[in-house]
């Protein structure tokens, strides 16, 4: 039970003046002292947020799970009740009160501070942001808000500064000219805000150190019910980030191009063959004063399309003398995928041939007629316009396959 009357005046909890301010991801220390009458022995201490969340308790099992590993009691069981909160979250904002329990030779007592320490949590002024662009050349940009008093720099995952390739991109930004092809799968780039201090008790800013990586991967979400992506379909690429966090953004590339957009999913609603290629995603993990970009391995996407530009070429020509040779070649301008098969027709009847060329060594009247070819790939087929072969006798008259002559 809590003390009452004049006896209660000997009990007190004192905080530093004014509200305490911190930002997301940083550390704050709530300075606190307490007093009680002589003869009392403190047996337990407790910190609570807004009266219902146990931030710290002498019995660790009674702490709110959201504060375990983040709340550190800096005080003792005599007079110091200071508390440090690490890796602040927006939900940490509120009023903190301290409570302690004592025993003496007669009874047990407890005391809760009548006032509390108010904590305000705001967005970090030094949380790096990621940008990418292709003009005038491919590059990545790390920037911080104008309110941050420091400047960011790019580093390798092992802490080595990326210079001399690093160039300034403004007062609060650093640009790294680099194309996706120069970044092998699994590589990480780190952005460090030089001179930043997070208030966690260190007298000096922490230098960039090695990055512990969980490499993301790209998943292709195929069109419903289809085994391949065809021109005109839509498809989605999803960046699977695994245990990476806190995630602040994404970046996508195809081949040697940084793509616009910064979402986990990259969507193309109506594809063209040019949308095929080698895709990679990067996860931007960011905290106050630091960030790093972890890049996935590349995922190949093929957009299939029916044959384009199918045509027949007759060499040496379409008007021949009986006994002349002729070669018919079936050609096309584009096929995705590249693997194709051929079908030949004469006068709309299949010839049962599957090669790209049809060679007649010595034409006869029966070889005269209309020829065409079809080329097939997994996406469909393309048909050539017909080619009419005319066979003339050595006297100059045309021969037809039925054996009759016409001039």
């Amino acid at each position: 039970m809590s003390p009452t009357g004049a006896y209660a005046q000997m009990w007190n909890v004192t905080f530093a003046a004014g509200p305490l301010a911190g930002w997301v991801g940083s550390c704050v220390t709530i300075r606190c002292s307490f007093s009680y009458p002589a003869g009392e022995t403190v047996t337990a201490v407790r910190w609570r947020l807004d009266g219902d969340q146990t931030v710290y308790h002498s019995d660790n099992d009674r702490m709110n799970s959201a504060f375990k590993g983040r709340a550190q009691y800096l005080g003792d069981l005599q007079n110091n009740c200071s508390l440090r909160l690490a890796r602040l979250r927006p939900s940490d904002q509120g009023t903190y009160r301290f409570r302690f329990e004592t025993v003496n030779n007669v009874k047990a007592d407890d005391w809760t501070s009548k006032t509390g320490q108010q904590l305000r949590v705001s967005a970090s002024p030094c949380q790096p942001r990621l940008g990418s662009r292709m003009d005038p050349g491919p590059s990545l940009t790390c920037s911080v808000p104008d309110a941050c008093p420091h400047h960011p720099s790019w580093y390798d995952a092992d802490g080595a500064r990326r210079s001399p390739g690093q160039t300034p991109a403004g007062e609060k930004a650093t640009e790294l000219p680099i194309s996706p092809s120069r970044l092998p799968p699994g590589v990480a780039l780190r952005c460090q805000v030089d001179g930043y201090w997070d208030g966690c008790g260190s007298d000096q800013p922490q230098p960039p150190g090695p990055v512990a990586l969980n490499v993301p991967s790209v998943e292709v979400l195929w069109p419903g019910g289809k085994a391949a992506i065809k021109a005109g379909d839509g498809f989605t690429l999803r960046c699977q980030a695994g245990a990476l966090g806190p995630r602040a953004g994404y970046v996508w590339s195809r081949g040697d191009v940084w793509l616009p957009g910064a979402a986990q999913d990259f969507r193309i609603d109506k594809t063209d063959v040019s949308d095929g290629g080698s895709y990679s995603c990067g996860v931007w993990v960011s905290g106050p004063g630091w960030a790093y970009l972890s890049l996935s391995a590349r995922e190949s996407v093929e957009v299939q399309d029916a044959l384009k530009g199918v045509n027949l070429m007759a060499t040496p020509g379409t008007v021949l003398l009986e006994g002349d040779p002729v070669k018919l070649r079936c050609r096309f301008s584009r096929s995705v995928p590249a693997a194709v098969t051929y079908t030949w027709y004469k006068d709309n009847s299949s010839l049962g041939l599957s090669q790209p060329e049809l060679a007649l060594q010595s034409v006869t009247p029966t070889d005269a007629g209309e020829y065409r070819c079809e080329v097939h790939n997994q996406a469909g087929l393309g048909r050539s316009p017909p080619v009419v072969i005319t066979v003339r006798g050595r006297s100059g008259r045309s021969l037809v396959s039925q054996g009759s002559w016409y001039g």
Side-chain angles (χ1 to χ4, degrees):
M1 58 179 295
S2 298
T4 59
Y7 183 60
Q9 298 177 9
M10 305 174 67
W11 300 74
N12 192 37
V13 177
T14 304
F15 302 102
L20 188 64
W23 52 84
V24 173
S26 68
C27 298
V28 295
T29 298
I30 303 175
R31 302 296 178 184
C32 170
S33 62
F34 64 107
S35 59
Y36 47 90
E40 300 287 337
T41 300
V42 179
T43 58
V45 295
R46 174 189 299 180
W47 276 95
R48 303 193 80 171
L49 169 59
D50 292 333
D52 60 352
Q53 297 184 68
T54 301
V55 177
Y56 175 81
H57 198 287
S58 301
D59 181 357
N60 187 64
D61 292 337
R62 299 174 67 177
M63 288 178 57
N64 186 301
S65 60
F67 292 95
K68 288 184 176 180
R70 297 196 302 122
Q72 179 186 5
Y73 186 63
L74 302 179
D76 49 38
L77 297 181
Q78 283 77 45
N79 300 106
N80 186 353
C81 50
S82 297
L83 179 76
R84 176 177 293 161
L85 290 174
R87 302 185 299 280
L88 284 180
R89 303 171 181 176
S91 58
D92 294 340
Q93 181 166 288
T95 301
Y96 290 75
R97 288 181 170 83
F98 179 69
R99 171 189 175 93
F100 62 99
E101 302 172 8
T102 67
V103 296
N104 55 31
N105 293 331
V106 179
K107 61 179 180 178
D109 283 321
D110 62 77
W111 181 265
T112 300
S113 58
K114 297 185 181 301
T115 61
Q117 177 69 73
Q118 185 179 8
L119 173 63
R120 297 171 182 168
V121 181
S122 59
S124 171
C126 291
Q127 183 144 341
R129 297 171 297 197
L130 175 68
S132 64
R133 65 181 187 180
M134 290 299 299
D135 186 24
S139 65
L140 294 172
T141 301
C142 179
S143 62
V144 292
D146 290 339
C148 180
H150 308 292
H151 189 89
S153 294
W154 283 106
Y155 292 82
D156 285 327
D158 60 3
R161 190 164 184 165
R162 292 292 298 237
S163 60
Q166 179 175 285
T167 61
E171 183 179 355
K172 299 296 182 180
T174 297
E175 185 176 355
L176 181 66
I178 197 162
S179 61
S181 65
R182 292 172 56 192
L183 297 171
V187 75
L189 292 172
R190 180 162 184 156
C191 178
Q192 186 78 23
V193 181
D194 299 323
Y196 172 82
W197 180 57
D198 65 5
C200 285
S202 173
D203 294 332
Q204 298 293 331
Q206 293 298 309
V211 174
L213 294 179
N214 289 287
V215 179
S217 62
V218 176
E219 178 186 6
V220 182
L221 304 181
W222 299 84
K226 296 190 176 182
I229 300 173
K230 296 184 179 180
D233 286 341
F235 72 93
T236 299
L237 301 176
R238 177 163 297 165
C239 192
Q240 300 288 15
L244 288 169
R247 303 171 205 167
Y250 298 84
V251 65
W252 287 91
S253 68
R254 180 180 65 239
D256 225 15
V257 176
W258 295 113
L259 299 172
Q264 182 180 13
D265 287 355
F266 183 81
R267 172 75 183 171
I268 298 178
D269 291 319
K270 190 173 182 180
T271 62
D272 185 78
V273 171
S274 61
D275 293 316
S278 177
Y279 286 84
S280 175
C281 73
V283 181
W284 184 244
V285 179
S286 178
W290 63 271
Y292 70 86
L293 180 66
S294 180
L295 293 167
S296 74
R298 296 195 168 274
E299 179 71 24
S300 181
V301 174
E302 181 182 69
V303 179
Q304 299 181 357
D305 196 9
L307 278 294
K308 303 294 184 183
V310 179
N311 65 85
L312 269 181
M313 173 176 281
T315 305
T318 59
V319 179
L320 307 167
L321 295 177
E322 187 176 11
D324 285 346
V326 66
K327 181 180 291 185
L328 299 176
R329 181 177 300 152
C330 188
R331 304 185 306 175
F332 56 88
S333 59
R334 186 179 76 182
S335 174
V336 182
V340 298
T341 58
Y342 297 85
T343 303
W344 287 85
Y345 296 89
K346 177 178 181 293
D347 297 328
N348 294 322
S349 296
S350 174
L351 296 177
L353 301 174
S354 58
Q355 64 266 28
E357 292 184 354
L358 172 61
L360 303 175
Q361 301 299 328
S362 178
V363 297
T364 67
T366 59
D367 295 322
E370 182 181 275
Y371 290 81
R372 61 182 175 88
C373 68
E374 290 181 353
V375 189
H376 306 253
N377 65 13
Q378 291 183 1
L381 63 87
R383 294 185 176 93
S384 72
V387 168
V388 176
I389 296 296
T390 301
V391 179
R392 297 182 181 275
R394 289 293 172 178
S395 63
R397 291 181 299 173
S398 297
L399 304 177
V400 296
S401 59
Q402 288 83 0
S404 59
W405 295 82
Y406 63 93

